[in-house]
Amino acid sequence: MSTEAGTGVKRREFLKILGATGATTAVVGCSSEKVGKLIPYVASPDNTVPGVSQYYATTCRECATACGVMAEVRDGRPIKLDGNPDHPMSRGAICSVGLSAVQGLYNPDRYRTPMVREGNALKATTWDKAYELLAQKIGEVKSRTQASNVVFVNQHESGTFPGFLDQWLSAQGMPTHLSVDSAAPIATIASNQKAYGASWPALDFNAAKLVISFGADFLDGWGHSVPQQLEWADARAKLEGAPRLVYVGARRSLTGLNADQWIAAKPGSEMDICAALTGSAAMAAASDASGVPVATLEALAKAIATAGSGVMAISGVTTANAVDCGVMVAEINKKAGAVGVTIKPAAGHAGYNGLASYADLAGAVAKMAAGTVPLAFVRGANPAYTMPKSAGFAAAFAKVPFKVSFSSVPDETAQLCDLILPDNHWLESWGDAVTMQGQIGLQQPTLEPVFDTKATADVLIALAKKDQALAAKYTAADYRGWFIGQFPGGASAFTTALTKATISGSPLIATATRTLTATATPVDAGAGDYFVHVFPSPTLGDGRGANKPWLQELPDPVTKIAWQSWVEVHPTTFKKLGLVEGQHLTVETSAGKITAPAYRYMGVRPDTVAISLGLGHTAYGRFAQNVGVNAYDLVKSGWDASGTLALSGTKGKVTVLAETSQLVTTEGSARQHGRGIGQAMTLAALLGQEAEDGEHEEHAIPGLPSQDFKAGLKSPIAADAQGELANPNAKDLGMYAPDHVQKMEKRRWAMTIDLARCTGCSACVTACYSENNIPTVGAPYQGRALSPTVWDERPGANIIKGREMAWIRLERYYEGNENTENEFSPDFDTRFVPMMCQHCGNAPCEPVCPVYATYHSPDGLNVQVYNRCVGTRYCSNNCPYKVRYFNWFGYGEVNRKQYAWPEPMHWALNPDVTVRGKGVMEKCTFCVQRIREAEHRAKAEGREVKPDEFTTACSQACPSRAIIFGDAADENWTVAKLAYDRRAYHVFEELNTYTAVVYLKKVNYPAPASPAQA
């Protein structure tokens, strides 16, 4: 038979390829035409060793917090971000939003060149032509003496650039810019300014005994999420003396689910409760307004009195009276003597200074609508999406003769502009940011620009140089040169400071202060039977994260829904309306309406429906466009005395439709059914003051092996699985004998997860995606063929089929409130359980694999050999933890339609980890690549691996420090000590799988018994 026939590799060509020398190689495919060349460095760049990572300290700019991060750079490209352990705020932690920044850097839908409008379309142009056009337009505006009417809208940021921008605008005769952030808690900032004289006081959870959150979702993205979560987890980890958390609001958010008590008040009634707690109103009046029993309010007032100066009351309500409510909440702190103890105005965060309000932006839009704005600039912000339709932004913006966007992505606002000057990503840029009071975080580029983009500051300098009147003021070649020229100590001091990227000081140019005040617009109470509660997404925020597939695929921590909008409805209302899961509801307010599937959630009041922001983009790239609905359409364009847009509190109509959609959810059952997966105990039980509740059902079966906790993560021996039938005199320890050649008793890689610390934020999930090249599978183009001519383009279609690929599943279970369909009760407990491969010592997956693709390593790992796997999936069937994931399609194969990393997103792939192909099973590896790297480094240095020398990606990222990894066979590692904790348990320990993951029980701080709420 001829070897020349067909499309296979010809024998002669094969030998030619095989014998090739140098850098020639055969690449994927069966044809010799797919031969490519790998070109090595002739001379490596300074400090670069091929295959060895470098780490650069910089400052995250995904939100106003400005956490310190370390960028891991491999061969000139950043592949992962981690928290900077030397940074005083982030202390080595990072959130999902920060981790996903590399997907913004390598986003395939970024503008690759400047764009100019020709007719009805934006066309690519050169930077020289773009500069010439914009310089001409600026000159025309100035010649007509209209420069004072120019509007520059900039995404809010701290640091030197805002002052630099205002200096440039002033030199052009233009007014200062508007610094906007639709996700910022403006009402809280305004009330803080009034009550404390500071925009954002420091919150000392460690000094608190009682924390009362009035809608302040400090674990969801309200304020400065990472440092708040770190400090909250540290405070709760004290166990005895830890603060209790009471959450007041109509919807139980992620922060609310972490609370010890939920007081389910009607939207807008939080201020009435505050008035009662401060003694300025009667308890009965507050009860009538809020629907909360008088006894519950009196118990809270008593708890405040008992806590004294250990009270911390914070407000994050988003109703029309939010500022007044925030000031009233501050009165609780003042009366308790908590200011300076738990609330510290002098040690706060300055990142919100200079922030403009929604009313300021609406004022600029009104000028546009009046036709008085000759030129408008927009950078970073996306008001065409984040302003309610009732604001009329698009129509007003169309009246501006020339509109310029510095957006790097094709968002809704950029699509309306006449000239696009794409900005560099912050990982490509120089800059700085304010972190804490008196602290500055430095920002440095981690690579050359991926596309033909330029930093906005460089563009401003280049434009100034074209103006003879301004050229003398801007002599530096670029912003970096200007910045170093202003930096105290010059270039040498700047270079030294970059090693840690944090210094003491203040921005080189002070940001203009702005007082958040406005003339309030009339309150629109709305009409309908239900309060409409609109809230920012914990993952997508105000929508700016929607073009990053890691964030789209990260299930909402409360509902476990991804790639989809939903309407939260209480089970009693669900029953009353005759709904089925996923049935479409139309929610209508005086501002507009949206339609989305219904989700049954007992953490929302029966008279309230809740909808998340972040979805419903009409542009913004392939991962965001036409996914979900935009909940801003339900919001009326009005504001309170601080200029804040009221997101919730109005009433609306709910209409049930006949259509249904399957929910894109990773949730199995919301209940544990007595299986003891997420266990908890009260503080009194921990201290031995009361008996521990036996939540986990025990089963007495004759001959069953002991179900007692296996302290020390011992490796199993044959007798362990035989229970009472085992020979007590047996000496055979098999591979675990001390003298066995494998030396399996010498090392046991293991993990502890403290459920008292875990908040369910899911940063661990995103860190795992980033470290281990896990594909996202929910984008519309990644669906499946329903027939030869029909493609399933539903967002999340693969997840609906149960084909998600996340190696860590953040499970969320409810305990209590079993009769939720027939009555409303706020009293239920929530358990968050990160579930990954348990690396069982007696693993059920190993003996059933017919090709030995999964086996047990000498150091206690359950190993998966990808190129041996043939996809029988027997291992997944036999896994009681359901933590194995199968590649149903070629998500990792570049020639497949479902390829998860469209160019240049594949630049973020970790070279140390194999990208899996179709038909391969995969799972958590305990980041084996990090284990081997640490071992090889120690061997090269002639030493043993040091205790706690390294950790897994999930542990490194975790903002609550709930996950600890290490060697359980060495008592010097932290994990070995925690394995003996009083709260330690294994999931399904009755199966005698001898898991390497130990969970520490959650500790609850129950409130005194109180009557059910109205």
Side-chain angles (χ1 to χ4, degrees):
M1 186 174 183
S2 173
T3 59
E4 307 275 325
T7 59
V9 179
K10 298 183 179 73
R11 179 176 180 273
R12 184 172 299 165
E13 294 291 340
F14 175 76
L15 293 174
K16 185 189 299 183
I17 296 166
L18 190 65
T21 59
T24 308
T25 184
V27 296
V28 176
C30 296
S31 170
S32 61
E33 295 176 0
K34 297 294 185 180
V35 176
K37 288 187 176 181
L38 301 176
I39 309 301
Y41 284 128
V42 176
S44 295
D46 290 345
N47 303 318
T48 297
V49 178
V52 177
S53 293
Q54 296 171 288
Y55 297 85
Y56 294 92
T58 187
T59 300
C60 179
R61 306 311 297 267
E62 293 295 308
C63 73
T65 304
C67 292
V69 294
M70 298 294 292
E72 180 181 357
V73 178
R74 182 72 65 87
D75 298 331
R77 55 187 175 86
I79 59 173
K80 190 173 187 294
L81 296 179
D82 283 302
N84 183 350
D86 293 325
H87 196 274
M89 272 203 325
S90 59
R91 291 186 277 155
I94 190 170
C95 65
S96 290
V97 175
L99 283 159
S100 67
V102 292
Q103 291 203 315
L105 172 67
Y106 298 128
N107 195 285
D109 298 313
R110 283 181 66 183
Y111 286 121
R112 305 193 176 206
T113 64
M115 308 288 284
V116 65
R117 186 168 297 281
E118 296 180 5
N120 293 324
L122 289 167
K123 301 289 181 66
T125 187
T126 66
W127 278 102
D128 287 340
K129 290 180 180 179
Y131 283 151
E132 184 178 349
L133 176 60
L134 183 53
Q136 174 191 335
K137 294 296 181 180
I138 292 174
E140 291 174 359
V141 168
K142 292 165 72 173
S143 67
R144 295 195 298 265
T145 65
Q146 294 179 317
S148 61
N149 292 328
V150 170
V151 170
F152 197 119
V153 177
N154 189 52
Q155 174 64 37
H156 176 70
E157 59 184 296
S158 61
T160 298
F161 177 76
F164 175 86
L165 173 59
D166 281 342
Q167 283 189 351
W168 185 88
L169 291 169
S170 177
Q172 299 282 4
M174 301 173 184
T176 57
H177 74 282
L178 286 177
S179 187
V180 303
D181 187 345
S182 56
I186 294 176
T188 302
I189 297 166
S191 60
N192 286 342
Q193 290 174 346
K194 286 185 176 183
Y196 306 120
S199 295
W200 203 267
L203 305 177
D204 191 344
F205 290 105
N206 194 55
K209 298 176 183 177
L210 175 66
V211 178
I212 311 170
S213 170
F214 291 87
D217 297 326
F218 59 87
L219 301 176
D220 299 38
W222 174 89
H224 306 295
S225 183
V226 169
Q228 288 168 181
Q229 190 164 334
L230 278 165
E231 289 157 18
W232 168 251
D234 286 346
R236 291 285 274 199
K238 294 188 300 184
L239 302 181
E240 187 175 7
R244 281 190 69 243
L245 173 58
V246 177
Y247 188 84
V248 183
R251 173 187 181 265
R252 205 166 182 179
S253 62
L254 178 61
T255 303
L257 291 179
N258 278 274
D260 300 293
Q261 181 183 2
W262 175 36
I263 296 178
K266 292 179 182 178
S269 69
E270 295 88 350
M271 188 170 170
D272 297 281
I273 293 175
C274 290
L277 295 175
T278 55
S280 56
M283 290 286 183
S287 176
D288 291 341
S290 64
V292 179
V294 171
T296 300
L297 298 178
E298 289 176 342
L300 180 58
K302 184 178 179 181
I304 292 172
T306 302
S309 61
V311 166
M312 178 192 291
I314 49 179
S315 174
V317 299
T318 57
T319 51
N321 62 352
V323 176
D324 294 334
C325 181
V327 173
M328 189 71 76
V329 168
E331 281 300 309
I332 297 175
N333 294 319
K334 291 178 180 179
K335 288 197 171 188
V339 179
V341 180
T342 61
I343 306 289
K344 298 180 176 179
H349 195 292
Y352 287 128
N353 290 351
L355 181 66
S357 68
Y358 174 83
D360 295 326
L361 180 59
V365 173
K367 293 178 182 177
M368 295 177 191
T372 60
V373 177
L375 176 63
F377 299 91
V378 181
R379 176 181 177 268
N382 187 13
Y385 170 82
T386 59
M387 294 189 78
K389 280 185 179 177
S390 54
F393 175 81
F397 202 50
K399 295 183 178 180
V400 179
F402 197 74
K403 302 170 285 294
V404 182
S405 171
F406 294 93
S407 176
S408 62
V409 289
D411 60 36
E412 288 82 352
T413 305
Q415 297 295 292
L416 302 175
C417 289
D418 303 299
L419 180 65
I420 311 293
L421 303 175
D423 197 2
N424 284 349
H425 189 272
W426 60 265
L427 284 167
E428 302 167 323
S429 305
W430 296 94
D432 63 340
V434 176
T435 54
M436 301 187 301
Q437 292 281 8
Q439 289 286 325
I440 295 293
L442 298 180
Q443 176 189 331
Q444 62 177 318
T446 57
L447 81 168
E448 291 290 327
V450 176
F451 303 118
D452 186 17
T453 60
K454 293 184 184 296
T456 300
D458 290 345
V459 172
L460 299 181
I461 290 174
L463 288 169
K465 287 179 180 295
K466 291 182 176 295
D467 189 330
Q468 293 181 352
L470 299 179
K473 294 182 179 180
Y474 293 90
T475 57
D478 52 25
Y479 186 66
R480 175 182 179 273
W482 178 89
F483 193 92
I484 292 175
Q486 305 288 320
F487 194 82
S492 61
F494 181 69
T495 303
T496 301
L498 283 177
T499 58
K500 291 189 175 181
T502 179
I503 59 171
S504 298
S506 57
L508 303 180
I509 301 176
T511 302
T513 57
R514 184 185 293 271
T515 303
L516 292 170
T517 58
T519 302
T521 58
V523 176
D524 181 9
D529 296 328
Y530 297 93
F531 290 104
V532 178
H533 181 77
V534 176
F535 60 94
S537 165
T539 53
L540 305 177
D542 60 348
R544 70 189 70 170
N547 66 335
K548 298 167 185 170
W550 285 345
L551 295 182
Q552 284 277 18
E553 195 132 319
L554 186 66
D556 176 79
V558 173
T559 64
K560 298 302 168 186
I561 293 175
W563 292 100
Q564 187 180 45
S565 294
W566 66 94
V567 179
E568 294 173 7
V569 181
H570 190 270
T572 57
T573 307
F574 222 83
K575 184 177 181 179
K576 182 177 75 173
L577 296 177
L579 296 174
V580 296
E581 198 83 26
Q583 189 164 0
H584 288 194
L585 297 178
T586 295
V587 180
E588 184 175 3
T589 67
S590 58
K593 61 182 179 181
I594 60 98
T595 298
Y599 173 77
R600 184 189 285 107
Y601 179 44
M602 63 180 178
V604 66
R605 283 181 58 92
D607 58 1
T608 303
V609 293
I611 306 99
S612 170
L613 293 170
L615 295 164
H617 284 275
T618 57
Y620 206 36
R622 72 193 72 182
F623 300 111
Q625 191 170 0
N626 301 324
V627 176
V629 297
N630 187 355
Y632 277 117
D633 292 351
L634 296 172
V635 179
K636 185 72 173 178
S637 182
W639 52 86
D640 63 11
S642 70
T644 301
L645 181 69
L647 292 179
S648 58
T650 60
K651 284 209 162 186
K653 300 176 182 177
V654 175
T655 304
V656 180
L657 305 181
E659 296 87 352
T660 62
S661 294
Q662 288 180 277
L663 292 176
V664 184
T665 177
T666 60
E667 181 181 39
S669 172
R671 300 284 183 171
Q672 299 186 70
H673 306 291
R675 292 175 293 169
I677 300 170
Q679 299 184 26
M681 63 195 310
T682 64
L683 177 63
L686 180 66
L687 300 178
Q689 297 170 357
E690 66 180 30
E692 185 175 350
D693 251 350
E695 295 180 345
H696 182 22
E697 296 176 11
E698 301 289 347
H699 305 281
I701 302 174
L704 187 72
S706 170
Q707 295 183 29
D708 293 339
F709 172 71
K710 313 300 186 297
L713 296 167
K714 62 173 288 189
S715 295
I717 61 174
D720 283 330
Q722 296 173 11
E724 296 175 3
L725 302 178
N727 179 1
N729 299 317
K731 305 286 186 185
D732 183 15
L733 300 180
M735 290 188 297
Y736 302 100
D739 58 348
H740 192 276
V741 67
Q742 292 282 1
K743 301 297 182 186
M744 292 184 76
E745 89 293 349
K746 291 292 186 183
R747 179 155 285 163
R748 173 71 154 149
W749 296 117
M751 181 178 284
T752 59
I753 301 177
D754 191 344
L755 302 188
R757 280 181 170 269
C758 180
T759 63
C761 74
S762 303
C764 56
V765 179
T766 308
C768 188
Y769 268 92
S770 179
E771 174 73 19
N772 293 297
N773 300 338
I774 300 175
T776 53
V777 301
Y781 74 87
Q782 290 182 297
R784 58 201 175 98
L786 299 177
S787 72
T789 58
V790 180
W791 188 263
D792 190 348
E793 294 186 343
R794 291 175 299 169
N798 283 313
I799 299 174
I800 291 172
K801 297 289 289 184
R803 293 172 178 173
E804 65 272 12
M805 297 300 295
W807 288 1
I808 302 176
R809 186 175 64 246
L810 213 302
E811 298 183 347
R812 184 262 299 117
Y813 295 109
Y814 300 128
E815 293 293 327
N817 200 4
E818 300 285 349
N819 193 29
T820 184
E821 288 192 357
N822 298 310
E823 64 179 8
F824 170 62
S825 171
D827 299 323
F828 63 92
D829 183 34
T830 309
R831 319 276 170 83
F832 292 102
V833 185
M835 182 61 63
M836 68 287 288
C837 175
Q838 304 287 291
H839 290 270
C840 306
N842 187 30
C845 58
E846 292 170 11
V848 297
C849 180
V851 292
Y852 302 103
T854 181
Y855 73 95
H856 212 71
S857 74
D859 49 359
L861 297 178
N862 176 250
V863 179
Q864 179 74 20
V865 183
Y866 299 133
N867 62 359
R868 186 180 287 170
C869 178
V870 296
T872 64
R873 306 193 299 283
Y874 296 164
C875 55
S876 182
N877 291 338
N878 221 38
C879 175
Y881 304 97
K882 299 306 171 191
V883 286
R884 286 176 162 268
Y885 304 92
F886 185 68
N887 284 271
W888 289 92
F889 299 109
Y891 310 121
E893 300 174 25
V894 69
N895 58 336
R896 300 275 188 175
K897 184 171 183 177
Q898 295 99 337
Y899 185 55
W901 296 279
E903 185 273 336
M905 198 170 275
H906 65 290
W907 287 16
L909 291 172
N910 185 353
D912 293 334
V913 179
T914 301
V915 178
R916 286 74 64 187
K918 182 179 179 180
V920 172
M921 186 67 71
E922 60 183 70
K923 66 174 191 67
C924 165
T925 65
F926 270 176
C927 291
V928 66
Q929 68 278 4
R930 292 190 174 202
I931 295 173
R932 301 300 176 239
E933 181 188 6
E935 290 175 338
H936 295 161
R937 182 170 58 246
K939 184 177 181 180
E941 296 173 2
R943 59 175 178 82
E944 293 293 324
V945 177
K946 299 175 184 176
D948 300 328
E949 177 180 345
F950 74 99
T951 190
T952 56
C954 56
S955 173
Q956 184 174 5
C958 181
S960 60
R961 295 292 179 253
I963 304 174
I964 302 296
F965 176 80
D967 182 6
D970 185 345
E971 62 183 9
N972 295 309
W973 288 71
T974 302
V975 72
K977 300 179 178 71
L978 290 173
Y980 286 92
D981 191 274
R982 162 78 172 80
R983 298 177 289 128
Y985 72 97
H986 296 278
V987 172
F988 300 158
E989 54 197 344
E990 66 270 22
L991 298 181
N992 284 290
T993 49
Y994 300 95
T995 62
V997 179
V998 173
Y999 293 91
L1000 308 185
K1001 294 179 182 179
K1002 179 185 176 184
V1003 177
N1004 287 329
Y1005 305 81
S1010 57
Q1013 293 188 229

